[in-house]
């Protein structure tokens, strides 16, 4: 049985290939900067967009053609979709995947039955993982779709909803363990608010922290060897999402003593919604040793919401790979395509085109970033720009020897600061363009 009869296994054919169902840059075994592309990039397919996306939008229902979606018994469909998913990922040659509990398995009549259905799905996923060698990058719980989460999950005004969410995350952690997942993600969902007239902000933050502490406790209790990741996003669905960007999350984690237990899962479209570039968010996270994993996608420059498009912008992928290379790699994280095909791209083969383009954009970005890193011109420029800190008064300040008094004495004697040098932004942008090929 095949679900994609017209699509062969996707092969690397080199930059000159005109075959749209081939990689032009992603060559998994090719070594770049001392490591294979496969090990650098650690691509993952996400279950929710790729296998559950229908193309629905606020103006019309889904119109995606998915011949295997026959309707009827939802659990039977969940089981069939596993075969679809693993055929797709095998043909694409992607080593990892990610899920929410409710994308892989639907609802039973109550929590107990819902969990029993999930157990059956997880058992089949485990067999498929063993058969194909595809691994779980991360699991997470959907704490935002069901009406019970209308006011949030751990930040709900309803304590019972907090308890339900805790039970759901407990189960999702256990399933992640069963499938050998190496990370577990907490994206805020509806943790945030629309209006402060009805919201006790401080109490909600306290509850969110309590929830995460309990999650850490349970992870340790069951011996789940997974890195916990917070995924920042500033708005959507709520106007003010609590985990708005990496800096806000850092402040939150530190305030509540959680900073050693978490890293970040950064998403390109969330960075831009926050008014940042992904380059900024990743550099910030890497600076504090908090770069965990990536949700790879992009927004639309002209649209103000989370469009979750597939990443194709080489400047962005190059900048991202530059941060990753300089940070020494993604560690146990990966590049998860949290991205969906456009509603107009409704055929199954479009799922392949989308992922091939994203994988190639990162592979090319990796090669470009590696060339930039190897030449060292950017690093050298930055080093020289800060040279005044390496000796003299700069070194005194950095080592903590200086005070306002010694600095005043220094400047009174000197009379004025040394002249500034140019930032040379345009020269550097031109220089980066030389590598863009
Ligand atoms: C939504 C988020 C979501 C997380 C997982 O905007 O990106 O898909 O990655 O809950
Ligand atoms: Ni995401
Ligand atoms: Ni998103």
């Amino acid at each position: 049985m095949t679900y994609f009869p017209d699509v062969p296994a996707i092969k690397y054919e080199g930059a000159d290939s005109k075959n749209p169902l081939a990689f032009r840059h992603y060559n998994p075994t090719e070594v770049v900067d001392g490591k294979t592309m496969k090990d650098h990039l650690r691509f993952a397919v996400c279950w929710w967009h790729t296998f559950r996306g229908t193309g629905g939008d606020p103006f019309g229902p889904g119109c995606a053609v998915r011949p295997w979606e026959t309707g009827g018994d939802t659990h039977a469909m969940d089981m069939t979709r596993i075969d679809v998913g693993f055929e797709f990922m095998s043909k694409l040659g992607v080593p990892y995947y990610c899920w929410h509990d409710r994308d892989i398995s639907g609802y039973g009549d109550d929590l107990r039955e819902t969990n029993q259905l999930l157990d059956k799905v997880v058992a089949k996923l485990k067999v498929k993982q063993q058969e194909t060698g595809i691994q779980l990058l991360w699991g997470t719980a959907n704490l935002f779709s069901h009406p019970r989460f209308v006011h949030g999950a751990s930040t709900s005004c309803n304590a019972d909803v907090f308890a339900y969410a805790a039970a759901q995350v407990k189960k999702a952690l256990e399933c992640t363990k069963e499938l050998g997942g190496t990370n577990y993600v907490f994206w805020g969902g509806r943790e945030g608010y629309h209006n402060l007239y009805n919201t006790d902000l401080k109490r909600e933050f306290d509850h969110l922290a309590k929830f995460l502490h309990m999650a850490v406790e349970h992870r340790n209790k069951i011996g789940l060897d997974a890195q916990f990741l917070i995924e920042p996003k500033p708005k959507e669905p709520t106007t003010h999402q609590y985990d708005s960007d990496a800096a806000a999350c850092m402040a939150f984690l530190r305030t509540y003593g959680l900073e050693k237990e978490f890293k970040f899962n950064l998403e390109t479209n969330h960075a831009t919604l926050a008014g940042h570039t992904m380059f900024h968010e990743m550099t910030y996270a890497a600076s504090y040793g908090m770069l965990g994993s990536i949700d790879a996608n992009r927004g639309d420059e002209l649209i103000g919401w989370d469009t979750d498009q597939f990443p194709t912008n080489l400047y962005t992928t190059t900048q991202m790979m530059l941060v990753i290379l300089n940070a020494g790699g993604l560690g146990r994280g990966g590049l998860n395509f949290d991205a969906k095909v456009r509603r107009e791209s409704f055929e199954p083969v479009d799922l392949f085109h989308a992922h091939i383009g994203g994988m190639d954009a990162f592979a090319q970005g990796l090669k470009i970033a590696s060339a930039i890193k190897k030449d060292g011109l950017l690093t050298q420029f930055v080093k020289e720009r800060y040279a005044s800190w390496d000796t003299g008064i700069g070194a005194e300040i950095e080592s903590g020897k200086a005070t306002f008094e010694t600095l005043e004495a220094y400047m009174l004697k000197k009379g004025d600061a040394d002249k500034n040098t140019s930032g040379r932004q345009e020269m550097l942008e031109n220089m980066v363009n030389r590598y863009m090929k």
Side-chain angles (χ1 to χ4, degrees):
M1 178 71 197
T2 164
Y3 295 94
F4 302 95
D6 304 330
V7 183
I10 309 299
K11 297 258 166 6
Y12 169 71
E13 291 185 4
D16 294 333
S17 171
K18 297 210 165 44
N19 175 5
L21 289 174
F23 296 118
R24 297 171 59 244
H25 295 279
Y26 181 59
N27 182 10
T29 54
E30 186 177 326
V31 174
V32 178
D33 202 40
K35 241 175 21 188
T36 62
M37 282 198 182
K38 185 174 177 218
D39 289 346
H40 274 292
L41 297 166
R42 300 172 60 79
F43 288 126
V45 166
C46 85
W47 208 267
W48 52 103
H49 287 313
T50 299
F51 306 122
R52 304 308 309 270
T54 62
D57 71 13
F59 305 94
C63 57
V65 176
R66 303 287 182 256
W68 54 86
E69 296 285 337
T70 50
D73 180 346
T74 57
H75 177 67
M77 260 327 302
D78 288 339
M79 296 299 248
T80 302
R81 227 179 270 116
I82 297 176
D83 297 321
V84 177
F86 277 78
E87 182 187 336
F88 177 80
M89 296 189 290
S90 301
K91 284 188 163 168
L92 199 58
V94 158
Y96 298 99
Y97 74 114
C98 304
W99 46 247
H100 297 83
D101 49 2
R102 291 294 83 81
D103 345 305
I104 49 171
S105 182
Y107 300 92
D109 285 341
D110 59 11
L111 181 61
R112 191 179 306 280
E113 201 196 330
T114 301
N115 285 346
Q116 283 162 355
L117 293 172
L118 181 57
D119 283 336
K120 291 190 191 145
V121 163
V122 165
K124 179 159 179 185
L125 286 171
K126 194 171 180 179
V127 171
K128 279 288 178 184
Q129 287 188 193
Q130 279 158 358
E131 262 173 41
T132 59
I134 294 169
Q135 290 170 284
L136 179 64
L137 184 67
W138 51 263
T140 189
N142 179 330
L143 306 177
F144 44 87
S145 293
H146 193 279
R148 79 172 60 82
F149 298 120
V150 64
H151 299 303
S154 66
T155 68
S156 174
C157 47
N158 178 349
D160 256 12
V161 173
F162 182 111
Y164 193 101
Q168 205 181 315
V169 170
K170 174 179 178 291
K171 183 69 183 169
L173 290 170
E174 290 160 8
C175 293
T176 301
K177 177 169 182 203
E178 178 64 13
L179 294 175
T182 44
N183 302 270
Y184 185 90
V185 164
F186 294 84
W187 167 59
R190 293 181 194 275
E191 314 294 33
Y193 66 90
H194 288 290
N195 194 304
L196 284 175
Y197 290 160
N198 67 9
T199 302
D200 188 339
L201 181 141
K202 173 68 165 54
R203 206 164 181 182
E204 294 201 0
F205 265 112
D206 288 349
H207 294 168
L208 177 56
K210 204 164 255 21
F211 192 88
L212 296 179
H213 273 292
M214 289 183 197
V216 170
E217 205 176 279
H218 194 66
R219 174 188 64 187
N220 297 342
K221 182 157 187 212
I222 63 174
L224 164 63
D225 179 22
Q227 171 69 56
F228 274 4
L229 302 168
I230 296 248
E231 182 176 322
K233 182 176 184 179
K235 49 189 158 203
E236 203 203 24
T238 74
T239 314
H240 302 270
Q241 294 284 114
Y242 289 139
D243 299 330
S244 53
D245 65 2
C249 289
M250 191 78 200
F252 167 79
L253 292 173
R254 287 226 167 125
T255 303
Y256 290 97
L258 285 158
E259 72 275 14
K260 293 206 169 54
E261 309 292 351
F262 286 81
K263 288 187 178 179
F264 297 133
N265 181 43
L266 298 171
E267 177 166 323
T268 319
N269 203 164
H270 298 179
T272 51
L273 282 177
H276 299 305
T277 58
M278 186 60 161
F279 202 13
H280 168 87
E281 284 292 84
M282 288 181 63
T283 303
Y284 177 90
S287 303
Y288 293 98
M290 296 291 278
L291 187 60
S293 198
I294 303 295
D295 270 5
N297 61 15
R298 81 182 144 105
D300 184 303
E301 280 169 29
L302 306 177
I303 298 179
W305 65 84
D306 201 13
T307 61
D308 285 343
Q309 289 169 235
F310 274 83
T312 52
N313 185 311
L314 288 183
Y315 287 99
T316 310
T317 58
T318 298
Q319 290 164 355
M320 291 171 72
M321 291 317 301
L322 207 49
V323 181
I324 291 169
L325 289 181
N326 287 333
L330 278 168
R332 53 166 66 200
L335 291 169
N336 168 47
F337 289 110
D338 190 353
K340 58 185 175 210
V341 288
R342 299 304 85 192
R343 189 167 189 267
E344 299 79 1
S345 309
F346 48 76
E347 293 179 1
V349 71
D350 291 309
L351 294 171
F352 280 95
H353 292 307
H355 284 84
I356 290 169
M359 291 164 78
D360 260 352
F362 274 100
Q364 205 174 345
L366 167 64
K367 290 189 280 188
I368 297 167
S370 157
I372 294 175
K373 185 180 165 225
K374 194 161 155 236
D375 284 356
L377 297 177
L378 274 185
T379 318
Q380 188 58 26
F381 186 89
V382 174
K383 194 174 159 25
E384 280 165 20
R385 187 161 183 246
Y386 290 84
S388 70
W389 293 91
D390 295 338
T391 57
I393 198 72
E396 261 175 54
I397 298 171
E398 279 197 350
S399 66
K401 284 196 203 113
T403 64
F404 268 15
E405 281 161 358
T406 66
L407 293 178
E408 183 195 45
Y410 166 79
M411 214 23 92
L412 286 173
K413 188 165 165 221
K414 192 161 177 177
D416 199 355
D418 283 349
K419 284 208 167 44
N420 282 310
T421 53
S422 167
R424 297 255 190 276
Q425 180 174 330
E426 296 76 6
M427 183 194 83
L428 296 171
E429 284 170 349
N430 299 347
M431 197 185 86
V432 166
N433 267 357
R434 295 207 307 261
Y435 296 90
M436 300 302 294
K437 52 180 188 246

